[in-house]
Amino acid sequence: MTGADFTRAFFAQIVHGLSASNPAEPALSEHDAAVLREAGFVTDPTAATAARLDRHIRMQNLVQDSLSVAQAAKHLGVTTARVRQRLADGTLWSFDSGSTRLLPRAQFAADGPVPHLDKVMPLFDRTLHPLTVQALLTEPQPSLTVEGRPVSIVQWLSGIAGADREIEQVVEVLTAASWESA
């Protein structure tokens, strides 16, 4: 399905999450249902189930593709203490998966950290879900364009010289994302 190996425990977690939903919720009034339909919301319980399943799979992929603190230190050519220091000051991003702290690969270039990311990572809202941060870093953002084509924050930062105005454009994307998540 995704090319990733999933454990039995992972699938058990998905099934438990899906069974926790209550398809027998009270029906909406016709007016409320019409408002939601016009806004693009669906009342199909299978759509909600599919969305939850998609989220679980994307999260599992993020966990499997992320680096441990030791792996990140090796990739960056620094000590694990330096990685932990950068995590504490917010210039690197991590999330907890059980008792393990993981650093998503999106913040790393082939030969080290993504250029200039250390200038904007401290501005990320630390309460954002890991999938939201991953999407912000890797999905094209309409306000960041190269040759008229939207690019991701990672692509933008990798291709700029690092002028204050160029960094400020990323800050504007992060500000908009914070507003959306509030």
Side-chain angles (χ1 to χ4, degrees):
M1 176 165 33
T2 64
D5 293 327
F6 296 115
T7 65
R8 182 181 183 111
F10 173 71
F11 278 116
Q13 179 186 9
I14 289 173
V15 170
H16 176 73
L18 296 177
S19 66
S21 62
N22 183 6
E25 293 176 10
L28 295 172
S29 71
E30 185 54 43
H31 173 267
D32 289 348
V35 169
L36 290 173
R37 264 193 315 279
E38 289 171 17
F41 292 98
V42 294
T43 58
D44 180 6
T46 59
T49 300
R52 281 195 302 277
L53 181 59
D54 177 65
R55 181 175 181 260
H56 280 292
I57 290 171
R58 287 184 297 121
M59 191 65 202
Q60 183 67 20
N61 286 339
L62 182 61
V63 166
Q64 288 184 349
D65 193 46
S66 294
L67 302 176
S68 67
V69 170
Q71 291 169 322
K74 183 176 179 180
H75 181 78
L76 296 172
V78 299
T79 66
T80 56
R82 178 64 182 133
V83 169
R84 285 188 187 91
Q85 181 183 35
R86 290 199 53 198
L87 289 169
D89 68 19
T91 59
L92 282 176
W93 163 50
S94 71
F95 65 95
D96 292 327
S97 177
S99 62
T100 305
R101 180 168 271 191
L102 297 174
L103 292 87
R105 286 187 191 271
Q107 63 195 320
F108 300 106
D111 58 349
V114 168
H116 317 294
L117 192 59
D118 60 331
K119 297 172 187 169
V120 297
M121 281 310 300
L123 305 173
F124 272 80
D125 179 349
R126 291 184 184 231
T127 64
L128 291 175
H129 190 276
L131 291 175
T132 302
V133 177
Q134 178 76 1
L136 279 168
L137 290 176
T138 61
E139 292 178 7
Q141 302 296 321
S143 61
L144 303 176
T145 60
V146 173
E147 298 176 3
R149 196 181 94 248
V151 296
S152 70
I153 289 175
V154 167
Q155 290 169 318
W156 177 260
L157 293 173
S158 296
I160 66 170
D164 288 343
R165 178 62 197 136
E166 294 164 329
I167 299 296
E168 184 62 31
Q169 287 179 265
V170 174
V171 172
E172 291 169 5
V173 170
L174 298 178
T175 301
S178 292
W179 276 91
E180 287 177 18
S181 69

